[in-house]
mmCIF file of all heavy atoms in Angstrom:
data_model
loop_
_atom_site.group_PDB
_atom_site.id
_atom_site.type_symbol
_atom_site.label_atom_id
_atom_site.label_comp_id
_atom_site.label_asym_id
_atom_site.label_seq_id
_atom_site.Cartn_x
_atom_site.Cartn_y
_atom_site.Cartn_z
ATOM 1 N N ILE T 473 -23.361 18.276 24.278
ATOM 2 C CA ILE T 473 -22.705 17.230 23.501
ATOM 3 C C ILE T 473 -23.726 16.325 22.831
ATOM 4 O O ILE T 473 -24.730 15.933 23.432
ATOM 5 C CB ILE T 473 -21.774 16.404 24.403
ATOM 6 C CG1 ILE T 473 -20.552 17.247 24.779
ATOM 7 C CG2 ILE T 473 -21.324 15.122 23.702
ATOM 8 C CD1 ILE T 473 -19.724 16.689 25.863
ATOM 9 N N ILE T 474 -23.475 16.029 21.559
ATOM 10 C CA ILE T 474 -24.234 14.959 20.904
ATOM 11 C C ILE T 474 -23.308 13.767 20.836
ATOM 12 O O ILE T 474 -22.167 13.881 20.389
ATOM 13 C CB ILE T 474 -24.683 15.363 19.479
ATOM 14 C CG1 ILE T 474 -25.855 16.329 19.546
ATOM 15 C CG2 ILE T 474 -25.068 14.123 18.684
ATOM 16 C CD1 ILE T 474 -26.494 16.601 18.204
ATOM 17 N N PHE T 475 -23.793 12.649 21.288
ATOM 18 C CA PHE T 475 -22.967 11.448 21.331
ATOM 19 C C PHE T 475 -23.632 10.384 20.468
ATOM 20 O O PHE T 475 -24.786 10.042 20.678
ATOM 21 C CB PHE T 475 -22.880 10.984 22.785
ATOM 22 C CG PHE T 475 -21.784 9.992 23.063
ATOM 23 C CD1 PHE T 475 -20.596 10.408 23.640
ATOM 24 C CD2 PHE T 475 -21.940 8.654 22.750
ATOM 25 C CE1 PHE T 475 -19.581 9.513 23.904
ATOM 26 C CE2 PHE T 475 -20.919 7.747 23.012
ATOM 27 C CZ PHE T 475 -19.747 8.179 23.592
ATOM 28 N N ILE T 476 -22.912 9.904 19.482
ATOM 29 C CA ILE T 476 -23.464 8.863 18.619
ATOM 30 C C ILE T 476 -22.584 7.633 18.733
ATOM 31 O O ILE T 476 -21.356 7.733 18.638
ATOM 32 C CB ILE T 476 -23.492 9.322 17.145
ATOM 33 C CG1 ILE T 476 -24.234 10.653 17.020
ATOM 34 C CG2 ILE T 476 -24.127 8.256 16.261
ATOM 35 C CD1 ILE T 476 -24.160 11.254 15.637
ATOM 36 N N SER T 477 -23.209 6.495 18.952
ATOM 37 C CA SER T 477 -22.422 5.271 19.038
ATOM 38 C C SER T 477 -23.306 4.097 18.678
ATOM 39 O O SER T 477 -24.500 4.098 18.951
ATOM 40 C CB SER T 477 -21.864 5.107 20.445
ATOM 41 O OG SER T 477 -21.319 3.814 20.585
ATOM 42 N N SER T 478 -22.717 3.097 18.049
ATOM 43 C CA SER T 478 -23.523 1.912 17.767
ATOM 44 C C SER T 478 -23.566 0.997 18.983
ATOM 45 O O SER T 478 -24.248 -0.010 18.994
ATOM 46 C CB SER T 478 -23.017 1.185 16.523
ATOM 47 O OG SER T 478 -21.650 1.344 16.362
ATOM 48 N N GLU T 479 -22.821 1.374 20.009
ATOM 49 C CA GLU T 479 -22.848 0.597 21.249
ATOM 50 C C GLU T 479 -23.816 1.257 22.218
ATOM 51 O O GLU T 479 -23.544 2.341 22.740
ATOM 52 C CB GLU T 479 -21.471 0.650 21.894
ATOM 53 C CG GLU T 479 -20.683 -0.605 21.772
ATOM 54 C CD GLU T 479 -19.423 -0.447 22.597
ATOM 55 O OE1 GLU T 479 -18.622 0.441 22.309
ATOM 56 O OE2 GLU T 479 -19.288 -1.202 23.559
ATOM 57 N N ILE T 480 -24.904 0.611 22.466
ATOM 58 C CA ILE T 480 -25.909 1.243 23.316
ATOM 59 C C ILE T 480 -25.415 1.415 24.746
ATOM 60 O O ILE T 480 -25.612 2.450 25.369
ATOM 61 C CB ILE T 480 -27.221 0.434 23.288
ATOM 62 C CG1 ILE T 480 -27.782 0.493 21.868
ATOM 63 C CG2 ILE T 480 -28.234 1.004 24.258
ATOM 64 C CD1 ILE T 480 -28.975 -0.357 21.641
ATOM 65 N N GLU T 481 -24.686 0.417 25.243
ATOM 66 C CA GLU T 481 -24.214 0.519 26.637
ATOM 67 C C GLU T 481 -23.396 1.779 26.841
ATOM 68 O O GLU T 481 -23.501 2.463 27.855
ATOM 69 C CB GLU T 481 -23.317 -0.672 27.013
ATOM 70 C CG GLU T 481 -23.952 -2.019 26.905
ATOM 71 C CD GLU T 481 -23.622 -2.643 25.565
ATOM 72 O OE1 GLU T 481 -22.515 -3.185 25.450
ATOM 73 O OE2 GLU T 481 -24.447 -2.583 24.650
ATOM 74 N N GLU T 482 -22.579 2.045 25.838
ATOM 75 C CA GLU T 482 -21.706 3.203 25.949
ATOM 76 C C GLU T 482 -22.523 4.484 26.081
ATOM 77 O O GLU T 482 -22.192 5.380 26.851
ATOM 78 C CB GLU T 482 -20.819 3.268 24.707
ATOM 79 C CG GLU T 482 -19.863 4.403 24.721
ATOM 80 C CD GLU T 482 -18.919 4.348 23.532
ATOM 81 O OE1 GLU T 482 -19.381 4.327 22.378
ATOM 82 O OE2 GLU T 482 -17.720 4.318 23.769
ATOM 83 N N MET T 483 -23.607 4.555 25.345
ATOM 84 C CA MET T 483 -24.438 5.748 25.411
ATOM 85 C C MET T 483 -25.182 5.804 26.732
ATOM 86 O O MET T 483 -25.352 6.879 27.310
ATOM 87 C CB MET T 483 -25.400 5.773 24.234
ATOM 88 C CG MET T 483 -24.672 6.112 22.953
ATOM 89 S SD MET T 483 -25.732 6.864 21.741
ATOM 90 C CE MET T 483 -26.478 5.441 21.072
ATOM 91 N N LEU T 484 -25.606 4.641 27.200
ATOM 92 C CA LEU T 484 -26.305 4.624 28.488
ATOM 93 C C LEU T 484 -25.394 5.150 29.587
ATOM 94 O O LEU T 484 -25.855 5.777 30.535
ATOM 95 C CB LEU T 484 -26.750 3.202 28.814
ATOM 96 C CG LEU T 484 -27.884 2.654 27.942
ATOM 97 C CD1 LEU T 484 -28.143 1.193 28.259
ATOM 98 C CD2 LEU T 484 -29.141 3.481 28.133
ATOM 99 N N ARG T 485 -24.109 4.889 29.420
ATOM 100 C CA ARG T 485 -23.163 5.314 30.454
ATOM 101 C C ARG T 485 -22.951 6.818 30.455
ATOM 102 O O ARG T 485 -22.474 7.370 31.429
ATOM 103 C CB ARG T 485 -21.811 4.624 30.240
ATOM 104 C CG ARG T 485 -21.797 3.169 30.691
ATOM 105 C CD ARG T 485 -20.668 2.424 30.014
ATOM 106 N NE ARG T 485 -19.351 2.868 30.443
ATOM 107 C CZ ARG T 485 -18.711 2.393 31.505
ATOM 108 N NH1 ARG T 485 -19.291 1.488 32.260
ATOM 109 N NH2 ARG T 485 -17.518 2.807 31.813
ATOM 110 N N THR T 486 -23.249 7.472 29.346
ATOM 111 C CA THR T 486 -22.918 8.894 29.260
ATOM 112 C C THR T 486 -24.107 9.834 29.041
ATOM 113 O O THR T 486 -24.066 10.971 29.477
ATOM 114 C CB THR T 486 -21.928 9.136 28.102
ATOM 115 O OG1 THR T 486 -22.422 8.469 26.946
ATOM 116 C CG2 THR T 486 -20.552 8.643 28.424
ATOM 117 N N CYS T 487 -25.151 9.343 28.359
ATOM 118 C CA CYS T 487 -26.188 10.275 27.899
ATOM 119 C C CYS T 487 -27.252 10.550 28.962
ATOM 120 O O CYS T 487 -27.570 9.706 29.791
ATOM 121 C CB CYS T 487 -26.873 9.744 26.657
ATOM 122 S SG CYS T 487 -25.740 9.539 25.313
ATOM 123 N N THR T 488 -27.794 11.772 28.897
ATOM 124 C CA THR T 488 -28.914 12.098 29.771
ATOM 125 C C THR T 488 -30.231 12.018 29.007
ATOM 126 O O THR T 488 -31.298 11.949 29.594
ATOM 127 C CB THR T 488 -28.748 13.509 30.353
ATOM 128 O OG1 THR T 488 -28.126 14.334 29.380
ATOM 129 C CG2 THR T 488 -27.889 13.472 31.585
#
Side-chain angles (χ1 to χ4, degrees):
Chain T
I473 289 168
I474 284 189
F475 196 101
I476 306 173
S477 169
S478 31
E479 254 187 299
I480 295 174
E481 300 95 81
E482 181 175 57
M483 287 206 278
L484 290 174
R485 283 159 67 87
T486 48
C487 299
T488 35

